Amino acid sequence: QGVLKALGLSRRMKTVFYPVSSEVAGQIMRVKELVHVEEVDEPLTQYELGKERKPDPGYYVETKVAT
């Protein structure tokens, strides 16, 4: 629990961004069964994270075409 708190993972489904370093890699290796790690170019904003997590509604609304 201490390692998860040190990484900033205080609740389920929380996303945090860290630069690649040996200290962070060591902490991740201690809790590797509990976390999903992905390498990204730049951190996402809160809005982008929300859009990424939102499921597809399964339908699309078409607007009326002007004639």
Side-chain angles (χ1 to χ4, degrees):
Q1 288 178 352
V3 174
L4 291 172
K5 286 182 182 179
L7 286 171
L9 300 170
S10 57
R11 63 181 190 275
R12 292 180 67 209
M13 300 299 293
K14 179 152 184 181
T15 303
V16 292
F17 296 96
Y18 284 105
V20 176
S21 68
S22 60
E23 293 84 17
V24 173
Q27 290 176 334
I28 291 171
M29 287 303 291
R30 294 198 58 184
V31 293
K32 65 181 177 247
E33 297 86 10
L34 304 174
V35 297
H36 172 76
V37 179
E38 212 175 289
E39 196 169 326
V40 295
D41 294 330
E42 58 186 41
L44 300 176
T45 63
Q46 289 292 344
Y47 178 75
E48 291 170 334
L49 285 172
K51 291 287 281 186
E52 187 175 291
R53 287 188 180 139
K54 188 173 182 182
D56 185 27
Y59 61 90
Y60 297 97
V61 178
E62 295 182 11
T63 58
K64 184 177 179 182
V65 178
T67 56

